[in-house]
């Protein structure tokens, strides 16, 4: 059931992408998103497609594993595409009904929107697929360390994220279990109107919250017992250190962004 | 003085209503005196609610006493400046394997303790290596804890405590949620640490079979220590154990029943081998 | 006969790298009024198996029949099946949610669409059948001890008046006193209410004492199915798959090897005592 969602689950493998410093991957993801939403024209699209293809290739994550994650958000993609398909005014109008219309610009828009969303999910999920949640939070913590000066509790936030990531699968499994137990007592989570459905959630949410609080209490105690005392004076098993590969990656990514921007200005068509 | 010593230790859980008036007081520990020598394997037995887990938390400075004193490795636990040193010398393994693993990768979880106490990176790697080896989990070092069995998770938790190099480890019902195979593995790991590394072990449990190999046993009820002695001494008192509704290992129980029925079987049989020997002697 | 499983197969995530066949060709017949123990270690498929029996998991292939009716028939009433085949999950006390104990027990019968009076009558009866003290009926369930909470959870299923009650490791995490209480309660429900009981357990000792049929699961298949004595006679094979027969079984076999004429089929302390005493008479 809910357990089938695989978006962003770490996929263990030994690849260049897995080895890269998480800060590089964070930076790359930001650059990739910028490129994805600022490209114009077929050349830009080709550049991004090429980049995405290359990165997926070297990640050693099976493509099928990635697309399984896509299934979960397909509805979202379809809805946004329909909105841009029927809501964009254009030069050539194929069909019109009240405020809905099908135009040339609408079709291009919808195609682009679909591509952007799918690429966005593939690209960003690649980040979490090749980076362990701990590396990821470690990277965020190091990259955002300067914010400490502005009294942002960067370490605590990173620790919370890491714990959340550890417990999400556990809580999902638990939801599954509680749901089944209540179904065994005749509960019905599928039929009925919205209010009935919302009511059916109560037997699910109460035990889930009780359990989450119990776990939180246990965990806090376990952390204290292991001398956890906040970020101060902590050392790291895996401190972040840049290697030549990381510097090269920075170079490639910046080069990629430059190319996309040039392409957008030189060959800004179609659109 | 032993590594863990308590004198007149009392712990009251006080429940208050909305207006901060005392609603009820539950005495979880009632003048407990305990003295554990370094290197021993100690078992504390008792039902749920007997106060055994409260005692464990005191050893780790996770609770503060209402009355009395507790020393860990010679340090008075109630002193603020001793809290971290006490936690360094007395580690703790909890009951629920899921709720004590913090990191998302086995080896990073083992490193959590050493990181907290500021061990340099290189030494962390050495300690992680050693600790995972000691509980035979090296093979799983890069796995996610979610994919492990209960027994394996508990062994990771033990490695995490080991990596802090404590003198003493308190196991708070570490096997209560495990299947028989996981239970065996965890107990084996605890005994090995005790024998090969000389770590003092305090095993809190309600399974009688688990205390048979301990050096000394304390039995708790209603916050008090009601019996103490070697396992053999404790298990010679079958009627008393039954009266407290504690379990008796099957072989001990059978030996007891046979003696009651008139067979000359000695008191305090613990294992199957001992019982067979005793029965064959009757013949 | 109440439940028949015919060549039931079940696999997770078919067609992917994570593909696991959890159940392989299970053929079982469960008769009315039986007291069955299902034994197997973690991952042997026992939890998956019992969830098939009330339709929470649908078999990948094979058929399941309840009183002769195919439960996978389109017009089969699944909700009714779930009320007639009650399933108590592991740590059922973690699933309590209502503000009072009584309301929580009402949840099941209420879902069956019964009128208020019948619902309350059933809840009352169920709580009484699990020996729950009357003065606590309207307390919140969250403050109870582990053993008491578990009683309430069992009452919650009992209130649906099941003909078959399946319990997944009902004694997990309880102390010896709590364990004996719950097992005693289950055995009493079997005797007094005539409910068919299926008890899933790790513990051979517990099972030996109560059940009259044991099903041993190993790697998704039924390894043994028979009366305890017959199953425990295979103690060497059981040990090979990581399951142990009761301590008493080992003792009796070893005594016999040493020449003492004891009954090797004794599985409980009581039986062993009688047999050893008889050997000396």
């Amino acid at each position: 059931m809910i357990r089938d969602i695989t978006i962003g689950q770490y996929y263990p493998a030994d690849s260049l992408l897995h080895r890269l410093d998480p800060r590089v991957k964070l930076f790359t993801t930001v650059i990739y998103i910028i490129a994805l939403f600022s490209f114009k024209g077929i050349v830009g699209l080709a550049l991004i497609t090429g980049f995405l293809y290359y990165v997926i290739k070297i990640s050693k994550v099976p493509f099928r594993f990635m697309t399984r994650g896509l299934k979960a958000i397909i509805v979202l993609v379809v809805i946004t595409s329909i909105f841009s398909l029927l809501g964009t005014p254009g030069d050539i109008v194929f069909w019109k009904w009240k405020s809905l219309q099908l135009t040339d610009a609408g079709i291009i828009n919808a195609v682009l929107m679909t591509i952007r969303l799918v690429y966005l999910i593939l690209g960003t999920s690649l980040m979490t697929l090749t980076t362990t949640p701990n590396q990821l939070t470690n990277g965020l913590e190091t990259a955002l360390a300067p914010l400490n000066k502005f009294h942002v509790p960067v370490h605590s936030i990173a620790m919370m994220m890491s714990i959340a990531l550890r417990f999400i699968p556990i809580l999902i499994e638990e939801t599954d279990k509680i749901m089944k137990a209540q179904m065994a007592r005749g509960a019905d989570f599928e039929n009925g109107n919205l209010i009935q459905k919302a009511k059916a959630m109560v037997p699910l949410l109460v035990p889930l919250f009780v359990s989450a609080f119990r776990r939180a209490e246990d965990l806090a105690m376990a952390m204290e017992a292991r001398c956890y005392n906040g970020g101060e004076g902590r050392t790291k098993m895996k401190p972040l250190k840049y290697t030549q590969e990381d510097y090269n990656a920075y170079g490639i990514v910046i080069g990629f962004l430059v190319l996309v921007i040039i392409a957008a200005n030189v060959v800004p068509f179609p659109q | 003085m032993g590594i863990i010593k308590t004198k007149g230790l009392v712990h009251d859980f006080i429940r208050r209503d909305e207006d901060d008036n005392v609603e009820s007081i539950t005495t979880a520990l009632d003048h407990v005196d305990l003295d554990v020598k370094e290197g021993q394997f100690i078992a504390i037995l008792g039902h749920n609610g007997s106060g055994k887990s409260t005692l464990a938390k005191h050893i780790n400075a996770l609770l503060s006493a209402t009355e009395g004193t507790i020393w860990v490795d010679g340090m008075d636990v109630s002193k603020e400046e001793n809290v971290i040193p006490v936690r360094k010398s007395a580690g703790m393994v909890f009951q629920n394997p899921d709720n004590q693993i913090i990191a998302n990768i086995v080896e990073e979880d083992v490193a959590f303790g050493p990181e907290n106490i500021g061990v340099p990176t290189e030494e962390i790697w050495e300690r992680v290596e050693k600790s995972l080896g000691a509980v035979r989990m090296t093979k799983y070092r890069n796995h996610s804890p979610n994919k492990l069995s209960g027994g394996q998770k508990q062994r990771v938790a033990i490695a995490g405590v080991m990596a802090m190099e404590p003198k003493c480890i308190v196991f708070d019902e570490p096997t209560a949620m495990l299947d028989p195979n996981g239970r065996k593995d965890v107990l084996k790991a605890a005994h090995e640490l005790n024998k090969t590394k000389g770590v003092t072990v305090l095993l809190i449990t309600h399974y009688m079979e688990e205390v048979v190999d301990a050096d000394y046993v304390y039995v708790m009820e209603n916050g008090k220590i009601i019996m103490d002695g070697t396992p053999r001494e404790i298990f010679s008192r079958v009627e008393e154990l039954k009266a407290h509704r504690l379990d008796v290992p099957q072989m001990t129980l059978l030996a007891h029943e046979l003696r009651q029925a008139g067979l000359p079987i000695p008191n305090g049989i613990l294992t199957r081998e001992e019982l067979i020997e005793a029965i064959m002697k009757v013949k | 006969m109440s439940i028949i499983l015919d060549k039931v197969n079940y696999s997770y995530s078919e067609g992917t790298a994570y593909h696991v066949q959890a159940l392989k060709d299970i053929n079982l017949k469960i008769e009315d009024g039986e007291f069955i123990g299902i034994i197997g270690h973690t991952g042997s498929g026992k939890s998956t198996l019992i969830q098939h029996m009330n339709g929470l998991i649908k078999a990948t292939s094979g058929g399941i029949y309840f009183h002769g009716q195919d439960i996978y028939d389109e017009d089969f009433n699944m909700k009714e099946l779930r009320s007639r085949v009650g399933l108590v999950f592991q740590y059922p006390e973690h699933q309590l949610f209502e503000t009072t104990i009584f309301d929580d027990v009402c949840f099941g019968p209420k879902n069956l669409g019964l009128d208020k009076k019948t619902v309350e009558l059933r809840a009352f009866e169920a709580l009484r059948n699990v020996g729950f003290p009357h003065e606590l009926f309207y307390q919140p369930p969250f403050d109870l001890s582990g053993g008491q909470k578990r009683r309430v959870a069992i009452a919650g299923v009992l209130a649906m008046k099941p003909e078959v009650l399946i319990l997944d490791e009902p004694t997990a995490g309880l102390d010896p006193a709590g364990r004996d209480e719950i097992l005693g309660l289950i055995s009493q429900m079997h005797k007094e209410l005539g409910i068919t009981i299926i008890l899933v357990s790790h513990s051979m000792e517990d099972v030996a004492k109560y059940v009259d049929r044991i099903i041993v699961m190993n790697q998704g298949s039924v390894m043994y199915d028979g009366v305890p004595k017959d199953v425990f006679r295979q103690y060497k094979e059981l040990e090979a798959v990581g399951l142990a027969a009761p301590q008493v079984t080992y003792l009796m076999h070893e005594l016999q090897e040493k020449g003492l004429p004891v009954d090797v089929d004794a599985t409980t302390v009581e039986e062993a005592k009688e047999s050893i005493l008889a050997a000396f008479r």
Side-chain angles (χ1 to χ4, degrees), chain C residues 18 50 60 79 96 102 128 130 139 148 155-157 162 166 181 199 206 219 225 234 250 259:
Chain C
Y18 295 102
I50 54 169
T60 320
K79 218 167 167 175
L96 302 176
F102 191 76
R128 210 185 46 202
V130 299
Q139 297 289 315
Q148 290 284 52
V157 175
I166 308 173
E181 271 172 41
L199 183 70
D206 287 355
Q219 295 183 351
D225 180 0
Q234 322 288 332
Y250 290 93

Side-chain angles (χ1 to χ4, degrees), chain A residues 198-248:
Chain A
K199 262 192 180 164
M201 296 304 277
V202 174
L204 197 62
L205 291 178
V206 175
L208 198 61
F209 272 98
V210 171
S211 145
F213 280 117
R214 191 180 49 235
R215 285 182 193 282
E217 213 174 303
D218 281 6
L219 191 72
M221 193 164 279
M223 287 171 76
E224 259 191 80
R226 281 160 79 182
C227 298
Y228 181 69
N229 208 358
E232 238 168 284
R234 258 188 127 234
T235 45
K236 282 197 165 135
M237 182 193 195
K238 298 172 180 171
L240 296 176
K241 241 189 246 148
Y242 284 127
T243 62
Q244 192 54 46
E245 274 176 347
D246 295 313
Y247 293 122
N248 294 348

